[in-house]
Amino acid sequence: MTTIAAAPPDAADIGSFEVWIEPLLAAGYRLAYAMLQSQPEAEDAIQDAALRAWAARHRLRPGSDPAPWFMTIVANQCRQQRRSRWWSVLKGGDVPEGVQPPPAIDGADLRRAVARLPHRHRLALVLRYYLDLSFEEMGRVQGISAVAAKARVHRALVRLRAEVPEELSDA
């Protein structure tokens, strides 16, 4: 990730903001693509994140590294997009004829599936969803970067989703 030590751009200078944020966009796009798994959605997320960064540029302390700040904005934007997309799917209406909805998983099945995950994946899920830590805090706990912490949570969820259907077929 590119480190920039320059102060945030002047409140009215769009040109200096573009120069200031440009080195952050590639890493932001990679994060957005990893979170959303879709090129168009990642492009939308990075554009929205850049707009939010412009609006919040006064919050960045002078002399601090803007990369973690911008990545947090990108991560939050991705989370918001995923939530919006899932809400639209869940509110989407009736299930077509002949299609059975997946059976519900109860808490015990989910706990068993989580227990089968490797320790680092289990730890990532507990820190994020049980303790509600930010990725920066998770990174400090695990001795990794915030981006690595977010990636670890993503990998843990992918693996957990692969485990859950096995639980349902055993029932």
Side-chain angles (χ1 to χ4, degrees):
M1 195 177 313
T2 306
T3 302
I4 302 172
D10 182 355
D13 190 2
I14 293 174
S16 67
F17 178 77
E18 289 174 357
V19 170
W20 180 77
I21 199 167
E22 188 174 1
L24 305 173
L25 294 177
Y29 176 79
R30 286 192 304 271
L31 174 61
Y33 186 82
M35 294 297 297
L36 301 170
Q37 297 296 306
S38 164
Q39 180 181 354
E41 288 184 31
E43 290 169 355
D44 288 346
I46 199 70
Q47 288 176 357
D48 290 342
L51 182 62
R52 289 175 190 265
W54 166 257
R57 67 195 178 282
H58 64 281
R59 293 186 194 148
L60 184 63
R61 284 178 271 151
S64 64
D65 183 8
W69 174 79
F70 184 66
M71 293 303 130
T72 300
I73 294 172
V74 172
N76 289 337
Q77 183 61 37
C78 291
R79 184 179 315 121
Q80 182 177 358
Q81 277 187 229
R82 287 187 61 96
R83 284 180 180 166
S84 297
R85 182 170 27 138
W86 282 112
W87 278 110
S88 67
V89 169
L90 292 175
K91 294 178 184 177
D94 298 330
V95 176
E97 278 187 45
V99 176
Q100 294 294 324
I105 184 169
D106 67 23
D109 291 336
L110 183 59
R111 282 190 294 277
R112 280 193 295 273
V114 169
R116 283 196 304 270
L117 293 175
H119 173 74
R120 62 191 170 104
H121 288 155
R122 230 179 13 253
L123 177 61
L125 292 176
V126 168
L127 292 173
R128 182 69 180 155
Y129 296 108
Y130 184 70
L131 299 178
D132 202 26
L133 294 183
S134 70
F135 292 110
E136 291 79 13
E137 293 167 325
M138 287 176 59
R140 285 193 296 268
V141 169
Q142 296 176 311
I144 57 177
S145 69
V147 174
K150 189 163 198 145
R152 189 169 288 177
V153 169
H154 174 74
R155 286 191 302 271
L157 289 173
V158 166
R159 190 156 181 179
L160 182 61
R161 287 182 186 117
E163 291 284 328
V164 170
E166 292 175 9
E167 279 294 322
L168 294 175
S169 65
D170 291 341

